[in-house]
């Protein structure tokens, strides 16, 4: 049951963006007694892309934020038929080997249920059921935010001329975040993402068509198909009824339009990119729709944000640290952000009842703790995600032993992250900084 606090001792939070990170944050804050409003530019809750998977650290973070979030994920998650994630050499020249099949590079055990995936829209639909209708405002495109002073609420201005007020604004508005521009400055290169020189084809293939091509084993679990200049990820979603396919291609050129992340193409473009791959991989590419979009992969690796906060503004998820999807951990990192934010803001709200510190000071302490806890790890994720995308396409060599070592330690650093320890550190950081300020004041 949500906490009940009087308006004097509760914080009013505006969340910009109604994707997975924004929805999870809203649920976590609402269950802790905050007044929360989501402002989303689309006509409803929306997510870009098709399939998504969550690693063990992300699933644990869901439970810390609100156990109902994890239950919502499990409701739509597809359990893998095996407990392994496999990386295979799917390039054509391995067909010269004595055994003309994809060459296994590495198998990683994923636990009893494996690394489960779901359709993004299905997960977001389940999350939306946990958010009261009056807590979400749609077709609200942020223009600017005005800070009128410490004793006043922030004024949020939208492009349609409407305004709103809040004590705190948290930007969960994705890779092209307007809040990031307001936090870092519109002329700051760190306010904008950069092209990684990779684009992707995405598709959902009915399982009855996928199984004859890849077989039961490869359609029942997660497989990364590695090769020269391209790679593909396949895994089941929609309760095993669909195979999610994401096929990446190296692009030496610049992306033609920095403001548009998709470009039209045909299936033949994807077929050409994978023409030198093994027959099974080529076969699954052949099952993609005739008309495709190619999705430019942008990230914040070239110009990472030096901070995620400015005053009472804060960034979370892709708005803070958009990564390429090669680790499959970007959304999970956003949920880690939410776990830290909900812990720190709950402490700030609790301390407001003591009336020893001002609301503004408590918000600043919470956000400072968030910055200290989240910057290093999330920056590393952006860097390692770009690196492994290059690794999968042999841009750092094609030695299987090296590829295996790099995959192992990087994946384990993400998956084995201790969310409970992060939660403990967040609380400790907040109370220590608050105590230090009290000592200085006296």
């Amino acid at each position: 049951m949500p906490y009940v606090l009087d308006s004097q001792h509760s914080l009013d939070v505006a969340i910009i963006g109604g994707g997975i990170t924004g929805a999870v944050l809203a649920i976590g804050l609402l269950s802790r007694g905050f007044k929360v409003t989501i402002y989303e530019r689309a006509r409803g809750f929306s997510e870009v892309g098709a399939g998504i998977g969550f690693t063990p650290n992300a699933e644990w973070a869901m439970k810390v934020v609100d156990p109902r979030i994890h239950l919502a994920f499990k409701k739509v998650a597809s359990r893998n038929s095996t407990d392994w994630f496999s990386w295979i050499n799917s390039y054509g020249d391995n067909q010269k080997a004595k055994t003309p099949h994809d060459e296994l590079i590495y198998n990683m055990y994923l636990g009893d249920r494996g690394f489960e995936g779901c359709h993004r829209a299905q997960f977001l639909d389940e999350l939306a059921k946990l958010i009261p209708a009056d807590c979400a405002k749609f077709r609200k495109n942020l223009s600017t935010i005005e800070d009128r002073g410490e004793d006043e609420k922030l004024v949020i201005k939208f492009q349609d001329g409407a305004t709103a007020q809040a004590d705190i604004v948290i930007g969960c508005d994705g890779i092209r975040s307007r809040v990031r521009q307001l936090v870092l400055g519109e002329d700051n290169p760190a306010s904008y993402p950069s092209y990684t020189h990779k684009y992707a084809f995405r598709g959902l293939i009915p399982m009855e068509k996928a199984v004859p091509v890849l077989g039961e084993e490869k359609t029942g679990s997660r497989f990364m198909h590695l090769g020269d200049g391209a790679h593909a990820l396949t895994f089941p979603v929609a309760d095993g009824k669909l195979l999610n396919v994401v096929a990446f291609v190296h692009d030496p050129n610049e992306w033609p339009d920095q403001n548009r992340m998709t470009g039209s193409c045909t299936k033949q473009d994807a077929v050409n990119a994978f023409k030198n791959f093994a027959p099974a991989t080529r076969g699954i590419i052949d099952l993609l729709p005739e008309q495709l979009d190619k999705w430019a992969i942008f990230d914040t690796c070239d110009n990472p944000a030096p901070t995620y906060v400015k005053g009472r503004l804060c960034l979370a998820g892709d708005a803070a640290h958009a990564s390429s999807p090669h680790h499959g951990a970007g959304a999970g990192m956003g949920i880690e952000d939410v776990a830290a934010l909900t812990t720190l803001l709950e402490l700030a709200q609790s301390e407001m009842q003591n009336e020893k510190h001002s609301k503004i000071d408590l918000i600043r302490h919470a956000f400072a703790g968030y910055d200290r806890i989240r910057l290093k790890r999330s920056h590393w994720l952006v860097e390692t995600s770009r690196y492994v995308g290059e690794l999968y396409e042999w841009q750092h060599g094609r030695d299987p032993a090296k590829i295996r070592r790099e995959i192992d330690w990087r994946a384990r650093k993400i998956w084995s992250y201790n969310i409970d320890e992060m939660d403990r550190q967040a609380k400790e950081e907040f109370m220590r900084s608050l105590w230090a300020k009290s000592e200085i004041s006296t």
Side-chain angles (χ1 to χ4, degrees):
M1 294 294 292
Y3 294 86
V4 178
L5 294 173
D6 61 80
S7 59
Q8 182 182 354
H9 297 128
S10 65
L11 290 171
D12 186 349
V13 182
I15 299 171
I16 309 298
I20 288 174
T21 300
V24 169
L25 177 59
I27 294 165
L29 292 177
L30 285 166
S31 69
R32 289 163 172 80
F34 290 78
K35 181 182 178 184
V36 178
T37 307
I38 296 175
Y39 298 95
E40 164 59 42
R41 72 183 70 181
R43 296 184 178 185
F45 289 104
S46 63
E47 266 289 338
V48 175
I52 189 173
F54 288 103
T55 49
N57 56 298
E59 289 198 43
W60 193 258
M62 292 178 193
K63 297 176 184 178
V64 168
V65 176
D66 190 318
R68 296 176 300 164
I69 295 167
H70 190 248
L71 292 174
F73 169 62
K74 289 300 184 184
K75 185 174 180 179
V76 297
S78 295
R79 183 170 182 173
N80 300 319
S81 61
T82 71
D83 302 332
W84 300 88
F85 188 170
S86 301
W87 287 261
I88 54 177
N89 174 1
S90 292
Y91 202 60
D93 62 1
N94 74 334
Q95 302 306 298
K96 299 175 183 177
K98 293 181 180 179
T99 304
H101 301 293
D102 293 324
E103 175 190 359
L104 179 66
I105 293 177
Y106 189 45
N107 260 345
M108 179 175 282
Y109 179 64
L110 300 179
D112 293 339
R113 290 182 61 95
F115 186 167
E116 297 179 46
C118 67
H119 194 288
R120 285 175 179 266
Q122 289 180 331
F123 182 38
L124 190 55
D125 285 346
E126 292 300 317
L127 294 177
K129 295 174 184 177
L130 303 175
I131 301 171
D134 61 354
C135 291
K137 309 295 181 185
F138 300 108
R139 304 184 75 173
K140 293 299 177 187
N141 205 339
L142 176 66
S143 175
T144 192
I145 301 169
E146 180 185 348
D147 189 340
R148 299 178 299 173
E150 294 192 354
D151 296 329
E152 302 288 338
K153 289 183 180 288
L154 300 170
V155 177
I156 309 160
K157 299 180 178 180
F158 300 96
Q159 291 185 7
D160 63 0
T163 62
Q165 296 187 27
D167 295 312
I168 296 169
V169 176
I170 302 177
C172 301
D173 47 341
I175 191 169
R176 303 250 180 225
S177 170
R178 174 59 179 155
V179 182
R180 184 180 175 99
Q181 295 171 14
L182 298 176
V183 168
L184 302 179
E186 294 183 56
D187 296 329
N188 189 339
S191 294
Y192 307 93
S194 302
Y195 186 43
T196 67
H197 293 281
K198 294 194 189 303
Y199 58 80
F201 306 103
R202 295 170 173 170
L204 292 168
I205 298 173
M207 200 60 80
E208 62 267 22
K209 293 183 178 181
V211 170
V213 175
L214 282 184
E216 293 282 354
E217 180 187 4
K218 288 181 182 173
T219 54
S221 189
R222 303 181 71 87
F223 274 80
M224 192 75 74
H225 309 251
L226 278 59
D228 190 3
H231 73 282
L233 171 66
T234 58
F235 61 89
V237 296
D239 199 27
K241 295 181 178 67
L242 298 171
L243 184 73
N244 186 57
V245 179
V246 191
F248 300 90
V249 180
H250 175 65
D251 179 13
N253 304 309
E254 293 298 328
W255 188 253
D257 186 349
Q258 298 293 308
N259 296 313
R260 185 177 177 85
M261 299 181 69
T262 61
S264 61
C265 60
T266 66
K267 184 171 75 176
Q268 190 59 45
D269 294 313
V271 169
N272 291 342
F274 285 83
K275 64 182 179 180
N276 294 322
F277 276 64
T281 305
R282 295 201 311 269
I284 212 69
I285 297 297
D286 281 337
L287 292 175
L288 291 172
E290 289 298 328
Q291 293 299 317
L292 291 170
D293 286 332
K294 58 181 180 181
W295 297 73
I297 308 300
F298 281 72
D299 68 14
T300 55
C301 187
D302 293 338
N303 298 291
T307 179
Y308 296 153
V309 302
K310 178 183 179 182
R312 288 179 279 164
L313 308 184
C314 181
L315 304 171
D318 283 353
H321 44 72
S323 66
S324 52
H326 306 302
H327 270 304
M333 197 62 58
I335 295 175
E336 283 188 14
D337 290 346
V338 172
L341 273 172
T342 51
T343 291
L344 287 161
L345 289 175
E346 183 178 19
L347 284 170
Q349 185 162 261
S350 177
E351 285 295 321
M352 283 172 57
Q353 299 177 71
N354 297 331
E355 299 184 349
K356 293 181 180 179
H357 305 277
S358 72
K359 178 188 296 186
I360 299 301
D361 271 350
L362 291 168
I363 292 169
R364 286 173 177 161
H365 281 291
F367 281 175
Y370 172 71
D371 233 13
R372 287 192 295 271
I373 289 168
R374 298 304 300 159
L375 269 174
K376 183 177 180 181
R377 175 167 166 81
S378 55
H379 282 176
W380 175 82
L381 176 75
V382 176
E383 295 167 4
T384 187
S385 295
R386 186 185 284 200
Y387 178 86
V388 296
E390 296 167 351
L391 187 76
Y392 295 162
E393 298 178 5
W394 298 344
Q395 291 174 252
H396 297 283
R398 53 189 299 178
D399 175 15
K402 177 186 176 182
I403 294 173
R404 185 162 51 247
R405 287 193 304 270
E406 293 289 345
I407 289 170
D408 185 82
W409 80 263
R410 292 171 186 272
R412 293 187 188 282
K413 184 171 178 176
I414 296 169
W415 301 356
S416 62
Y417 186 64
N418 191 327
I419 300 297
D420 289 337
E421 177 62 16
M422 180 192 74
D423 189 63
R424 186 196 65 78
Q425 289 179 4
K427 293 173 180 176
E428 189 176 272
E429 285 271 351
F430 179 85
M431 298 310 296
R432 182 189 298 120
S433 64
L434 208 59
W435 178 84
K437 179 175 175 58
S438 298
E439 286 290 301
I440 293 170
S441 300
T442 56

